[in-house]
Amino acid sequence: MEKRKRAERALPLGDKLRRWGADPRLRWAVCQGILAGGGYIFTSAALFGQAHPFALAFGAAFCGGKWGFGAVLGAFAGYAVTLGSNGLHYCASLLVCAACALVFSSTGSDGLRPLMPLCTAFTLLCTGSALLMTQFTPEGLALLLGEAGVCGAMVCLYSLAARPSSSPGKEQALLAGQGALLLSFLLALEPWRVFHILSPARAIGLLAVMTVAYCAPGAGGAGAGVAFGAAFDLSGGMELHFTGLYGVAGLIGGLCRKRGRLGFGVAFVLAHCAATLWAIRSPQAASGLYECFCASVFFLVLPEGLLARVKSALGDGAAQAFAPAGPGQMGKYAQQRLRQASRALEALALSLTDVPVKNQEDITQVFRRSADKVCRFCPVREACWDKEYVSTMGVMNDVTQALRKKGKLQAEDFPAYFAARCLEIHRFAQAVSLEYAALLRRRGELARQGENRKLLRRQYEGVGGLLRDMGTTLLEGPEYYPALENRAKSVAEAYFRRPAVALYTNQGRMRCEVRVSSPEDLPEDHGAFVRSLSLALGRDFCPPQPVEEDKGTLVRCVEREQFAVSAVAAQRKKEGETVNGDQYMDLSTDDGRHLTMLADGMGSGEGAAQVSLETLSLLSRFAHAGCSLWESARAVTPVLSARLEEKGFVTLDLLEIDLYSGRGAVTKYGAAPTWLLSGGRARKFSSRALPAGLEGGESPPEPEYFQLKDTCTLVMLSDGAAERIDGQWLLDAYRRLPSPQALAQEAIQVAEQGERPLDDRTVLVVSVQRIPKEPV
């Protein structure tokens, strides 16, 4: 025996550790110690600043069976030590859950374990109700119900990590359970700060969101961002700040995850910084930027093996289910991805404002707080606030009107008998005035926070509408025509050697693509081929465009537009200004739309011109990406609302014409009327919305549509030029004047009528003509 002990002492440390690790009793003891430590730590994790259900859920999920009751003991000790008397009902719930787990294990009915979440939630409701009855409030009941629901949900998630299933999605389930454990641990560490500003818990949470956004397909990053952000926000109360930041960063980062780790990290950080600008006034904005930087640095050095395992767990079956089966499925695949992103943004927008509003403090709290400060050591305190409490509160009620009217109180405002009895009447009046001022500041801050949340919601809804609009566009095409394709193939075989023909329409525009293997197979006369193709299909095609590709040469013929649009302008700046504040933009997009936009910035001169140009530039970027002007304006106008005090508002007059179908749309934000002159009649389009930047919480204006059948003219006016112009004058001037430019110049002169220009004036005349078919 002595020799064996000496031999064991002579073993290297590594061999000793391996031998100790092989001992099942030691492993069980270490496991129980870890569970006890986890249960103790989780008691510090809180929701709404006062609910602590995570340790109870942890104990219920890991108690019984092979895990033992270490988690229950740790959670019990944590509630008793950390919360004291406030944790007694949690301790009672733990004991009931442990008893249920013991019954399930001892009777061999472990199949009843799925009932543990329901059992835990019901137990917490019972014990919490007993505590609630001592001081019942509707808010307390709502908090108890929410706490019980969260507790049951966390038991389910913890159980995924404690008892992994053998189903096909076991890796995703295990990862979800591990994520719940990580989130609970971070909530426990959330109060810790480095240098009084940086939260390591939130930095680790951002690192987890980055990892999920980089590895998960679809909108998984947005979901993880909303979950972690909402947990951090709700840990201290009901104010939502990190929910929007993490959700937007996760969504934008997920869309850029194919660009490699560095490109993804840059996109994630930029999206987080851009989203922070919307809540820059929040005291947590600066710390959030530091935490995002730290998380991005650690993300760049994560081992590739770890990311590969996470990708395998998150992408098992998901990537294959939505992967495009072939070229014809690319539109549906992209449309589904855009729809998922749009739904994620809509859910994010709802989460910003779909929260209970904080209860406004009653003004009686002002008097109670003042009494706590001034009357605490007063010798007649019991007489005023105990024996004659009703009389004292009646005095406070009498002076409330004076307090609200003047914003402060003086000793003379109190009744004479009360002022004579109070030993510190001047200090009490001063304390009431200070507390009332603080109450007004808190109410103003709550109102500003509500407006900021509404503005963020409008921004996310606008971006979600853009994605939905792009997804709808992808869903509409392309459409193939086998019968007409045979005609096109017969024509192509007469001009090309061994051609491969594809004929389809995209957004109503027909396209014919002919592929040949080498340039020698191309015809000498492309014009003859186009004329024959137009005759065979009954459509008018533009000249072909040869494109060199790896698989050969592609000749693409696109259907010619049905309408041609041109715009001319006449402008007159305000007297004394060097720059016209009215700005316009006229452009055509690759998908066959002609856009004319007129912006009138608040005021005149260089400042108005700058905000007008910035607005039109943002709109044009979205329009070139394939978005309609209506959806583009819906996404841009919240930016103007956020910068109203700095830049001012702007009126927008937006005209969009489809050059193939002739369908037009007019969208107005507080702009002057637009006139459509066609067939000897003048149709008026008036604004039904406030200028962009002033619309607040109102719904964005809907566009007014019209159908062009022949040649017509549209006249767009700024506010300074619209006062003396009506439909009849425009019809008369259109008949007698030789050109659109002359019409614009005369409209400017009529608007002035010999007076000095008191505002910037702009007249846009947009001429639309149907293009005749070329003779075949």
Side-chain angles (χ1 to χ4, degrees):
M1 179 66 69
E2 187 66 25
K3 291 182 179 179
R4 192 170 71 179
K5 289 183 178 179
R6 286 198 299 268
E8 289 178 355
R9 286 196 295 267
L11 287 175
L13 180 61
D15 293 341
K16 291 181 180 180
L17 293 177
R18 281 191 292 271
R19 175 171 294 186
W20 292 343
D23 187 355
R25 293 173 297 179
L26 182 60
R27 287 204 307 267
W28 185 86
V30 172
C31 178
Q32 295 305 307
I34 294 175
L35 290 177
Y40 188 90
I41 292 174
F42 282 6
T43 56
S44 301
L47 287 180
F48 315 111
Q50 51 184 325
H52 300 263
F54 297 95
L56 172 60
F58 184 76
F62 284 86
C63 67
K66 66 175 183 178
W67 295 105
F69 294 88
V72 173
L73 295 177
F76 192 97
Y79 282 131
V81 174
T82 306
L83 302 182
S85 60
N86 293 329
L88 292 180
H89 67 289
Y90 294 111
C91 295
S93 299
L94 272 172
L95 294 177
V96 175
C97 293
C100 293
L102 182 63
V103 171
F104 295 158
S105 302
S106 61
T107 58
S109 57
D110 201 53
L112 297 177
R113 286 289 306 186
L115 295 178
M116 186 59 74
L118 183 60
C119 174
T120 308
F122 180 77
T123 303
L124 181 58
L125 279 176
C126 294
T127 58
S129 298
L131 181 63
L132 181 63
M133 294 307 295
T134 61
Q135 190 177 359
F136 179 82
T137 59
E139 295 80 5
L141 178 60
L143 179 62
L144 178 61
L145 293 175
E147 184 182 7
V150 170
C151 186
M154 296 308 292
V155 173
C156 294
L157 292 175
Y158 293 157
S159 299
L160 297 177
R163 298 169 179 81
S165 63
S166 58
S167 60
K170 61 180 180 180
E171 294 183 354
Q172 291 94 326
L174 179 61
L175 193 62
Q178 294 172 347
L181 291 172
L182 174 63
L183 182 57
S184 303
F185 180 73
L186 295 180
L187 289 179
L189 300 183
E190 202 277 334
W192 290 10
R193 294 292 183 272
V194 177
F195 304 118
H196 303 287
I197 187 172
L198 179 65
S199 172
R202 293 203 296 259
I204 298 173
L206 263 176
L207 178 61
V209 173
M210 293 184 72
T211 304
V212 174
Y214 182 73
C215 300
V226 171
F228 276 79
F232 287 132
D233 285 330
L234 297 179
S235 64
M238 294 298 295
E239 179 62 31
L240 294 182
H241 173 78
F242 295 104
T243 306
L245 302 187
Y246 292 6
V248 170
L251 175 63
I252 302 302
L255 296 177
C256 302
R257 65 191 188 94
K258 298 298 184 182
R259 298 183 179 275
R261 196 191 296 199
L262 180 60
F264 164 81
V266 172
F268 188 96
V269 172
L270 291 178
H272 184 276
C273 294
T276 304
L277 294 178
W278 293 99
I280 196 64
R281 296 181 180 178
S282 173
Q284 299 172 322
S287 60
L289 294 176
Y290 294 138
E291 292 153 9
C292 182
F293 174 76
C294 296
S296 63
V297 172
F298 284 100
F299 173 77
L300 294 178
V301 297
L302 284 179
E304 285 292 340
L306 174 62
L307 295 178
R309 288 195 296 271
V310 176
K311 284 183 178 180
S312 175
L314 293 175
D316 185 15
Q320 293 81 357
F322 295 99
Q329 300 293 326
M330 285 299 295
K332 294 182 179 179
Y333 172 67
Q335 190 269 343
Q336 183 152 6
R337 294 293 298 275
L338 288 173
R339 181 180 294 177
Q340 290 175 349
S342 174
R343 289 175 177 173
L345 276 174
E346 289 175 353
L348 188 60
L350 288 175
S351 70
L352 291 171
T353 54
D354 191 18
V355 295
V357 180
K358 289 184 178 180
N359 291 327
Q360 298 289 343
E361 296 182 21
D362 191 83
I363 198 169
T364 56
Q365 295 295 328
V366 172
F367 298 107
R368 290 194 177 97
R369 290 176 178 174
S370 302
D372 290 339
K373 294 180 179 179
V374 178
C375 305
R376 178 178 300 179
F377 302 106
C378 181
V380 296
R381 180 182 184 277
E382 293 184 1
C384 294
W385 295 101
D386 291 337
K387 297 179 180 179
E388 300 181 13
Y389 175 79
V390 176
S391 176
T392 302
M393 291 308 298
V395 172
M396 302 301 118
N397 185 54
D398 294 338
V399 298
T400 297
Q401 185 175 359
L403 177 62
R404 288 174 173 168
K405 183 178 180 180
K406 299 189 302 182
K408 61 181 181 178
L409 283 182
Q410 297 176 347
E412 294 78 10
D413 296 321
F414 290 90
Y417 73 92
F418 182 83
R421 185 180 66 187
C422 182
L423 303 180
E424 298 287 348
I425 186 63
H426 294 284
R427 284 187 56 204
F428 183 73
Q430 184 180 9
V432 170
S433 300
L434 294 177
E435 287 293 337
Y436 184 68
L439 174 63
L440 295 180
R441 286 195 298 271
R442 288 192 293 271
R443 288 180 175 177
E445 184 63 27
L446 287 175
R448 285 192 295 273
Q449 291 173 1
E451 292 299 324
N452 290 337
R453 286 197 296 267
K454 290 180 181 178
L455 188 62
L456 279 175
R457 175 171 180 170
R458 287 178 49 221
Q459 180 67 43
Y460 294 144
E461 286 177 345
V463 177
L466 285 176
L467 297 179
R468 187 170 56 252
D469 189 25
M470 296 174 67
T472 303
T473 302
L474 288 173
L475 190 63
E476 290 176 351
E479 185 176 358
Y480 294 90
Y481 298 90
L484 293 179
E485 187 173 300
N486 293 332
R487 295 187 191 177
K489 186 175 182 180
S490 301
V491 174
E493 289 175 347
Y495 293 91
F496 298 84
R497 288 188 296 177
R498 300 182 299 276
V501 180
L503 183 72
Y504 61 93
T505 59
N506 190 5
Q507 298 180 6
R509 188 180 190 184
M510 182 168 287
R511 304 169 187 265
C512 181
E513 296 180 353
V514 181
R515 187 185 301 275
V516 294
S517 57
S518 64
E520 290 77 11
D521 298 333
L522 296 175
E524 298 180 357
D525 188 1
H526 288 89
F529 166 68
V530 172
R531 290 191 294 270
S532 300
L533 184 65
S534 300
L535 182 62
L537 300 180
R539 304 284 184 104
D540 193 12
F541 287 88
C542 297
Q545 302 171 354
V547 180
E548 295 294 334
E549 296 183 345
D550 296 338
K551 298 181 180 180
T553 303
L554 181 68
V555 177
R556 180 181 292 112
C557 295
V558 183
E559 185 180 1
R560 190 186 301 274
E561 296 91 342
Q562 301 297 315
F563 294 88
V565 180
S566 61
V568 296
Q571 290 186 301
R572 189 71 56 86
K573 60 180 177 292
K574 181 181 178 181
E575 185 173 349
E577 298 288 352
T578 59
V579 179
N580 194 321
D582 300 339
Q583 298 294 324
Y584 69 93
M585 190 174 291
D586 187 66
L587 54 94
S588 297
T589 61
D590 296 336
D591 55 357
R593 294 175 297 147
H594 189 92
L595 313 176
T596 305
M597 301 176 287
L598 175 61
D600 182 2
M602 182 180 69
S604 59
E606 187 174 351
Q610 181 181 2
V611 67
S612 299
L613 281 175
E614 288 180 358
T615 305
L616 295 181
S617 177
L618 289 173
L619 290 173
S620 65
R621 291 178 182 272
F622 285 113
H624 279 301
C627 303
S628 65
L629 279 183
W630 175 64
E631 291 288 1
S632 302
R634 187 183 179 190
V636 169
T637 51
V639 179
L640 303 178
S641 299
R643 303 174 63 183
L644 176 61
E645 296 180 359
E646 176 187 357
K647 295 290 186 179
F649 61 84
V650 59
T651 65
L652 289 177
D653 200 352
L654 309 176
L655 172 64
E656 181 175 2
I657 298 177
D658 191 321
L659 300 179
Y660 303 100
S661 64
R663 193 188 191 199
V666 175
T667 306
K668 289 180 172 293
Y669 283 82
T674 295
W675 297 90
L676 171 61
L677 311 179
S678 176
R681 296 181 179 180
R683 178 181 175 183
K684 182 179 181 181
F685 298 95
S686 300
S687 176
R688 297 184 179 89
L690 294 173
L694 289 180
E695 69 274 15
E698 295 183 1
S699 301
E702 295 288 336
E704 290 190 67
Y705 296 99
F706 59 92
Q707 183 65 43
L708 300 177
K709 297 182 179 179
D710 212 336
T711 301
C712 66
T713 299
L714 293 106
V715 181
M716 304 169 66
L717 310 165
S718 67
D719 293 335
E723 295 180 1
R724 303 179 183 272
I725 303 297
D726 58 13
Q728 188 59 46
W729 184 91
L730 287 172
L731 286 175
D732 296 339
Y734 177 72
R735 295 189 186 101
R736 60 183 173 80
L737 293 175
S739 65
Q741 186 66 54
L743 175 60
Q745 293 291 348
E746 184 162 333
I748 286 288
Q749 295 173 5
V750 169
E752 292 179 3
Q753 289 293 325
E755 298 179 357
R756 295 180 180 179
L758 300 179
D759 192 9
D760 300 316
R761 293 171 178 175
T762 299
V763 177
L764 289 176
V765 180
V766 182
S767 301
V768 184
Q769 294 182 345
R770 178 178 286 276
I771 301 176
K773 292 186 177 181
E774 293 187 356
V776 180

